[in-house]
Amino acid sequence: MAAHARTSAVVGLALVAAVTAGCSGSGSHPGSGSRTSSPPASSARAGNGQNRPAPAPTESNPPGDIPDNQAYVAFRPTGGSFTGFTVKVPEGWARTEQGSTTVFTDKLNTVRITAVSASTAPTVGSVTKTVVPQLRSQVPKFAAPKVSEVTRHSGRVVLLTHQGDSAKDPVTGKVVRDAFERYAFYKSGHEVDLTLSGPVNADNVDPWRIVSDSFTWR
């Protein structure tokens, strides 16, 4: 009986060892979920973006910002009360004629050019006394007027800066708070008023300088 018990115990241990070895073998099978295999080298590189070209940067201009690559063309009036001047305006902007005034618009920005006869040159005092009250009655929520003399390529000019609300958009019904720059150029009885406007938060210092500096008499 003792020998039979020992034999049974040995057989039992052998069966346990065989089962354990079998389980270990099955766990190392390539298809087993218990083993994590490394992805192919090409897949790893693709995941890191090493084999793909870097995406082109997306240019995003705040509302009203004129793009840095904006082209400009010379505007020479052919009608109206006076045609003896030239000024550069942004290429591709919509153009409308309103009597002696020509207007160029694109989205939220406007270039307005008006030629009138004047017996005397505008001054800081005359613009403050006459033009500011006129605009105050015409521009919704007119505010922050400032009149000064500045130098442009054509010489000394009177500059009036102010703020005001734009006209209501006929589609969206929205109103934009605009900043205005009004330059009064004068020569030999002729005055040309160049008004540049766009949203107050837009950075259009360089484009507006290009336009105002381009004004020349012919």
Side-chain angles (χ1 to χ4, degrees):
M1 291 294 292
H4 178 72
R6 286 196 297 273
T7 300
S8 298
V10 171
V11 172
L13 289 174
L15 288 174
V16 170
V19 171
T20 301
C23 292
S24 299
S26 63
S28 61
H29 191 274
S32 172
S34 62
R35 178 180 178 181
T36 303
S37 59
S38 299
S42 60
S43 298
R45 286 195 298 270
N48 293 331
Q50 296 178 3
N51 282 356
R52 291 178 294 181
T58 301
E59 182 178 353
S60 178
N61 294 318
D65 269 19
I66 299 173
D68 293 338
N69 61 353
Q70 173 67 55
Y72 298 83
V73 294
F75 165 67
R76 299 180 178 88
T78 57
S81 61
F82 180 63
T83 61
F85 66 92
T86 301
V87 62
K88 287 184 178 179
V89 297
E91 184 178 31
W93 286 22
R95 173 179 171 177
T96 57
E97 303 283 348
Q98 302 172 358
S100 60
T101 297
T102 303
V103 180
F104 297 88
T105 56
D106 180 70
K107 301 180 180 69
L108 302 176
N109 295 299
T110 300
V111 175
R112 181 183 299 271
I113 307 163
T114 302
V116 296
S117 297
S119 57
T120 59
T123 63
V124 171
S126 67
V127 171
T128 301
K129 183 178 179 179
T130 60
V131 178
V132 170
Q134 290 174 2
L135 294 179
R136 192 182 300 276
S137 65
Q138 297 170 357
V139 179
K141 296 185 179 179
F142 178 90
K146 180 180 178 181
V147 185
S148 62
E149 280 194 2
V150 297
T151 301
R152 289 297 182 261
H153 286 331
S154 63
R156 299 287 290 177
V157 296
V158 179
L159 169 64
L160 165 61
T161 60
H162 65 90
Q163 294 185 8
D165 283 358
S166 69
K168 182 181 294 186
D169 187 288
V171 178
T172 65
K174 293 183 178 180
V175 174
V176 177
R177 189 64 176 168
D178 281 341
F180 295 79
E181 296 181 10
R182 179 187 182 276
Y183 297 86
F185 299 87
Y186 179 84
K187 182 180 179 180
S188 304
H190 298 286
E191 180 178 334
V192 178
D193 299 323
L194 171 66
T195 303
L196 315 171
S197 62
V200 294
N201 292 324
D203 182 11
N204 288 332
V205 174
D206 291 338
W208 289 160
R209 184 65 187 239
I210 290 173
V211 174
S212 59
D213 260 342
S214 72
F215 183 93
T216 56
W217 299 101
R218 292 193 292 150

